[in-house]
C-alpha cells in the first residue's frame, strides 16, 4: 500500500444502484428515459446514445454515475453524462464527495479480472450486488486522485489522437474510392458487372471437429473469424489444430488471398500476405482467390466490399438468425462492378501510399497502450 493511502469497499464510497428491466411494453424508440441493458453503447469511457427508451423506468442511473456491466460480459465500466434507465445487465455507482468519479472509473477498469473471477452462473456469468459492494479499491487523498486522473487522461488523449489519425487515413481511402469509382452500390458510372463466382474461386475453411482430429498429425495455426478485421489481421491470439496433408494443400493461405468473414460482421475482409509460417483458416471464413486477373485487382475489391457493406449493399445477401451470415452460395452471386483494370491498379497504388503510413501510427498506439497499462498497474494493483 502506498504511503497515505487506504483501501475502501465500493459500498463505502459509492451509492450503488442495481439495474432492473422495465416492463417490456414500456420500451419504445422515442418516449421516456433513455434505456440501456448492457454494454452495447459503451464507448472508450463515455456512454454512447441508445435508440431505446422506457416510459416507465424502474431503476435510474444519475448523470455522472459510473456504469458497470454485471452480466456477461462482466466488469466493464463506463461513465454516463446524463440520467438513464438501466436494465439487469448494469449497475450504477454514484461517487460520494470524497472520491472523483473519473478516478472511480479507472479504479474499476483495473478490477476486470477480479470481477470475472467472482462471477457466478452457468449460462450467463454475473456478479452480485454483494460482490460489487465488497470490492475494495485504493483510496488516496482527493488531490492525489485528481493527479492520477490527469496523468492517465493525458495518455488516453494521445491514444485517441493517434486513433483519429488512423480514421483519417480510412476516410481518405473512402474519398479516393468514391472519387474514382462512384457509389459502390448504385454503380452510377456504369462499370461492367460480373458475379463473384466469375472473379474468384471461393471456399469455406475447415470445420472445427476435435473428435475427428488425429493426435499424431502436425498442428498448424489457423485464422478464426475474430482474427479477420476490416483491412488487417489481428494475429495476437492464433489457435492451432491438426490438418491432414490433403487439408493442408486445400486450406493453406497464399499471398493475396482475400479472407471474408462468413458470420458475425459478415463480409468483413482483409488481404493475406505471405509469412514464413504456414497459416490455415477455419470454417467461419471464406477464402477467395482471384481467377480473373485480367479484369480484377484484389485491393480494389477489398475496398469495394467494405463500402458495399457500409452502404447496405450486402443486406439482401445476408441471412439473419441470432447473428448475420453470408453463405457461400450468396457470396458467389454478389454483383461486382469492375472498372477498367488500369484504373483499379491506380487505386491500389494510391491506397498503398496510405497504408504505408499506418504501421508507424499503430506502433505509437501500441506503445502508448503499453505505457497506460503499466501506469494503471502501478496505481491500482
Amino acid at each position: 500500500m502506498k504511503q497515505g493511502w487506504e483501501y475502501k469497499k465500493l459500498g463505502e464510497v459509492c451509492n450503488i444502484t442495481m439495474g432492473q428491466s422495465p416492463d417490456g411494453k414500456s420500451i419504445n424508440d422515442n418516449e421516456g428515459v433513455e434505456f440501456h441493458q448492457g454494454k452495447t453503447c459503451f464507448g472508450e469511457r463515455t456512454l454512447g446514445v441508445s435508440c431505446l427508451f422506457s416510459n416507465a423506468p424502474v431503476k435510474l442511473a444519475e448523470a455522472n454515475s459510473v456504469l458497470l456491466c454485471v452480466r456477461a460480459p462482466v466488469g466493464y465500466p463506463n461513465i454516463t453524462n446524463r440520467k438513464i434507465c438501466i436494465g439487469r445487465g448494469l449497475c450504477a455507482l454514484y461517487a460520494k464527495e470524497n472520491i472523483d468519479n473519473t478516478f472511480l472509473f479507472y479504479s474499476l477498469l483495473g478490477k476486470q479480472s477480479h470481477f470475472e473471477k467472482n462471477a457466478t452462473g452457468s449460462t450467463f456469468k454475473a456478479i452480485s450486488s454483494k460482490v460489487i459492494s465488497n470490492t475494495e479499491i485504493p483510496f488516496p487523498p482527493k488531490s492525489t486522485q485528481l493527479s492520477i486522473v490527469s496523468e492517465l487522461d493525458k495518455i488516453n488523449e494521445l491514444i485517441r489522437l493517434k486513433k483519429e489519425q488512423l480514421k483519417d487515413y480510412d476516410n481518405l481511402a473512402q474519398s479516393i474510392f468514391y472519387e474514382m469509382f462512384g457509389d459502390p452500390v448504385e454503380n452510377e458510372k456504369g462499370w461492367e458487372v460480373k458475379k463473384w463466382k466469375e472473379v474468384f474461386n471461393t471456399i469455406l475453411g475447415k470445420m472445427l471437429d476435435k473428435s475427428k482430429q488425429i493426435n499424431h498429425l502436425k498442428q498448424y495455426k489457423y485464422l478464426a473469424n475474430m482474427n479477420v478485421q476490416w483491412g488487417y489481421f489481428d494475429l495476437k491470439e492464433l489457435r492451432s489444430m491438426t490438418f491432414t496433408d490433403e487439408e493442408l494443400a486445400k486450406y493453406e493461405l497464399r499471398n493475396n488471398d482475400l479472407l471474408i468473414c462468413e458470420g458475425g460482421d459478415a463480409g468483413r475482409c482483409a488481404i493475406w500476405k505471405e509469412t514464413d509460417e504456414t497459416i490455415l483458416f477455419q470454417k467461419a471464413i471464406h477464402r477467395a482467390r482471384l481467377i480473373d486477373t485480367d479484369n480484377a485487382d484484389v485491393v480494389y475489391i477489398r475496398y469495394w466490399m467494405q463500402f458495399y457493406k457500409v452502404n447496405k449493399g450486402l443486406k439482401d445477401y445476408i441471412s439473419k438468425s441470432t447473428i448475420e451470415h453470408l453463405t457461400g452460395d450468396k457470396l458467389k452471386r454478389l454483383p461486382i462492378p469492375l472498372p477498367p483494370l488500369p484504373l483499379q491498379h491506380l487505386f491500389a497504388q494510391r491506397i498503398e501510399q496510405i497504408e504505408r503510413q499506418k504501421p508507424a501510427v499503430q506502433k505509437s498506439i501500441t506503445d502508448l497502450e503499453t505505457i497506460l497499462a503499466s501506469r494503471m498497474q502501478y496505481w491500482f494493483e
Side-chain angles (χ1 to χ4, degrees):
M1 182 183 296
K2 295 179 175 58
Q3 187 174 4
W5 288 34
E6 55 184 326
Y7 280 79
K8 289 194 174 184
K9 295 178 179 180
L10 287 172
E12 297 178 88
V13 296
C14 302
N15 295 316
I16 301 173
T17 302
M18 302 299 293
Q20 183 176 334
S21 296
D23 189 313
K25 294 178 181 179
S26 77
I27 305 298
N28 64 89
D29 60 7
N30 59 14
E31 182 182 324
V33 181
E34 188 179 333
F35 174 57
H36 291 260
Q37 180 70 281
K39 70 181 289 287
T40 303
C41 299
F42 275 25
E44 293 285 339
R45 179 197 296 181
T46 305
L47 182 69
V49 178
S50 171
C51 61
L52 298 177
F53 291 78
S54 171
N55 53 28
V58 180
K59 295 289 185 174
L60 296 171
E62 298 296 330
N64 298 318
S65 295
V66 178
L67 305 174
L68 182 69
C69 284
V70 299
R71 300 180 73 188
V74 301
Y76 288 86
N78 234 221
I79 298 175
T80 177
N81 57 14
R82 59 203 179 276
K83 182 184 287 189
I84 61 168
C85 170
I86 54 173
R88 287 172 30 180
L90 298 172
C91 80
L93 299 96
Y94 192 79
K96 296 179 181 178
E97 290 183 4
N98 50 2
I99 183 169
D100 178 76
N101 72 317
T102 306
F103 178 82
L104 175 61
F105 163 79
Y106 280 123
S107 298
L108 294 175
L109 203 59
K111 285 290 184 180
Q112 287 182 341
S113 60
H114 162 79
F115 287 126
E116 288 170 0
K117 289 177 184 176
N118 285 277
T120 57
S122 54
T123 306
F124 295 104
K125 294 292 185 183
I127 46 177
S128 67
S129 58
K130 183 177 180 181
V131 168
I132 297 165
S133 184
N134 288 332
T135 295
E136 291 187 334
I137 61 169
F139 192 74
K142 188 74 170 283
S143 59
T144 304
Q145 295 177 33
L146 296 175
S147 176
I148 293 169
V149 166
S150 176
E151 176 194 337
L152 299 179
D153 277 354
K154 286 175 183 176
I155 301 172
N156 268 317
E157 176 62 10
L158 290 173
I159 293 172
R160 187 192 69 79
L161 290 173
K162 290 296 181 181
K163 287 182 176 179
E164 285 297 319
Q165 191 174 351
L166 286 182
K167 287 181 183 178
D168 288 341
Y169 285 135
D170 291 338
N171 291 336
L172 177 58
Q174 179 172 321
S175 176
I176 292 171
F177 184 96
Y178 279 75
E179 176 189 339
M180 294 180 69
F181 307 119
D183 187 290
V185 178
E186 297 298 328
N187 189 20
E188 58 202 2
K189 297 195 176 185
W191 307 118
E192 176 190 12
V193 175
K194 288 192 175 184
K195 290 186 178 180
W196 187 277
K197 66 182 180 181
E198 298 178 275
V199 180
F200 286 104
N201 181 358
T202 307
I203 64 169
L204 273 173
K206 178 185 175 183
M207 172 73 80
L208 300 181
D209 188 349
K210 293 183 179 179
S211 66
K212 294 182 179 179
Q213 291 184 7
I214 304 172
N215 291 332
H216 69 266
L217 293 176
K218 185 174 180 180
Q219 290 218 335
Y220 293 95
K221 291 179 180 177
Y222 67 89
L223 298 180
N225 182 287
M226 65 181 180
N227 301 120
V228 182
Q229 300 298 317
W230 281 114
Y232 72 96
F233 297 94
D234 183 350
L235 304 179
K236 293 193 291 291
E237 295 184 17
L238 283 184
R239 299 169 184 169
S240 299
M241 68 177 173
T242 57
F243 288 81
T244 65
D245 290 341
E246 182 180 2
E247 289 170 337
L248 180 61
K250 184 176 181 180
Y251 299 116
E252 183 177 0
L253 294 174
R254 296 182 192 169
N255 198 48
N256 285 334
D257 281 343
L258 183 63
L259 284 302
I260 305 145
C261 292
E262 184 269 343
D265 184 9
R268 191 174 66 219
C269 60
I271 301 169
W272 183 255
K273 297 299 180 184
E274 280 182 334
T275 66
D276 294 333
E277 187 175 12
T278 299
I279 306 288
L280 299 96
F281 62 106
Q282 60 108 310
K283 192 179 187 303
I285 298 171
H286 300 283
R287 184 198 65 201
R289 191 168 282 168
L290 269 179
I291 54 176
D292 188 2
T293 54
D294 292 334
N295 290 290
D297 185 303
V298 70
V299 174
Y300 159 77
I301 293 177
R302 201 293 279 172
Y303 278 88
W304 170 82
M305 175 67 93
Q306 182 170 352
F307 303 142
Y308 193 66
K309 173 74 183 283
V310 167
N311 288 278
K312 313 298 182 186
L314 278 181
K315 63 181 175 60
D316 293 331
Y317 296 87
I318 288 177
S319 304
K320 277 200 173 183
S321 50
T322 51
I323 60 174
E324 57 184 29
H325 289 277
L326 177 61
T327 66
D329 286 341
K330 291 186 177 180
L331 175 63
K332 290 172 184 177
R333 297 203 301 269
L334 275 183
I336 311 173
L338 293 174
L341 191 61
L343 197 60
Q344 295 183 47
H345 287 337
L346 177 60
F347 171 76
Q349 291 167 11
R350 295 176 71 179
I351 290 298
E352 184 180 1
Q353 294 173 1
I354 295 172
E355 292 295 331
R356 278 202 296 263
Q357 311 300 317
K358 287 185 176 181
V361 180
Q362 187 59 61
K363 184 179 184 304
S364 295
I365 294 173
T366 301
D367 291 345
L368 286 166
E369 288 176 338
T370 299
I371 293 170
L372 179 63
S374 174
R375 298 307 294 166
M376 286 283 294
Q377 185 177 27
Y378 175 78
W379 290 121
F380 299 113
E381 293 185 13

